[in-house]
Amino acid sequence: MEVILSSIVLGFAILATALVVSLYYRHKYDPIFLQLSELLSDKELGVTDKTNTPAGQTNEPAEQTNKPTGQTEKPTGQTDKPTDSAMDETAEEDKFNKGLYEIQFSLLTDTIRNEQLYTMPKFGRSDMIKHFHMSGKRISTLFSMAGTSVPEFIRECRLEHARQLMDERPEMTLVEIAAASGFVHASTFTTDFKNKYGVSPTKYREMKTEK
């Protein structure tokens, strides 16, 4: 019985020794097995594939940066300058907005003239807000961009209206003309008329009559 057990143990020992020797020589001389082993070792160590590396070159990874070639890092706090295309787009946008303002201003002032809203004695910006459903700031901006103001525009409309009445309605008195043009006080009408046309309303009428 002991002889049989000894034979079995010896057989297993021989078999194990043969398997170890076989694996050793397979690992050493089998190219495929060798390459697989190297690849596995390289991956575990974090090394890239060395089989395709040209002679004279190392496998060390090249230093990588996030900066484009030829560009240096900008100092902290330095902002990018607008490009020509960005400046062109801004200029086009400003031009477009200016065009919209001009259209709105033209529509607003034409309506005031055509409907003769300026003949109302107390007509002003608050009335424009209600009539045109626009904000006071928007209205002021429209007139400012046109190089004038709401009071100045209304005064000009009233003076033009008064002069037209003086030319076409000689039977009307200057007080009536002032009231019909939206002036609350005849004295204000006289002062504003002389400042604009260089002569008083009375003198202007006399000059028209002499002609």
Side-chain angles (χ1 to χ4, degrees), residues 108-148:
L108 187 148
T109 53
D110 287 348
T111 302
I112 293 174
R113 287 193 176 97
N114 295 335
E115 298 182 10
Q116 296 185 352
L117 300 176
Y118 55 83
T119 58
M120 295 186 295
K122 294 184 179 181
F123 182 77
R125 192 179 70 162
S126 58
D127 299 287
M128 292 183 186
I129 294 173
K130 297 177 183 178
H131 190 87
F132 297 102
H133 304 285
M134 299 174 64
S135 66
K137 182 178 180 180
R138 181 74 171 183
I139 292 173
S140 297
T141 300
L142 292 177
F143 281 90
S144 177
M145 292 187 67
T148 184

Side-chain angles (χ1 to χ4, degrees), residues 7-24:
S7 299
I8 293 174
V9 172
L10 180 61
F12 276 111
I14 295 172
L15 181 62
T17 303
L19 180 61
V20 171
V21 172
S22 175
L23 290 175
Y24 170 78

Side-chain angles (χ1 to χ4, degrees), residues 35-106:
Q35 291 180 5
L36 290 175
S37 300
E38 289 179 349
L39 288 175
L40 290 175
S41 300
D42 291 343
K43 289 182 179 180
E44 291 176 356
L45 296 175
V47 182
T48 57
D49 185 10
K50 297 185 292 183
T51 58
N52 297 323
T53 303
Q57 294 187 5
T58 62
N59 290 311
E60 296 180 358
E63 183 179 357
Q64 297 182 356
T65 62
N66 294 324
K67 295 182 295 182
T69 304
Q71 293 187 4
T72 58
E73 185 177 355
K74 296 182 180 179
T76 304
Q78 181 177 350
T79 58
D80 293 333
K81 294 183 179 179
T83 61
D84 292 339
S85 59
M87 294 176 66
D88 292 341
E89 291 178 1
T90 302
E92 288 296 328
E93 183 177 355
D94 292 342
K95 184 178 180 180
F96 178 76
N97 291 334
K98 184 179 180 181
L100 290 180
Y101 276 110
E102 291 175 351
I103 293 173
Q104 285 187 321
F105 178 76
S106 178

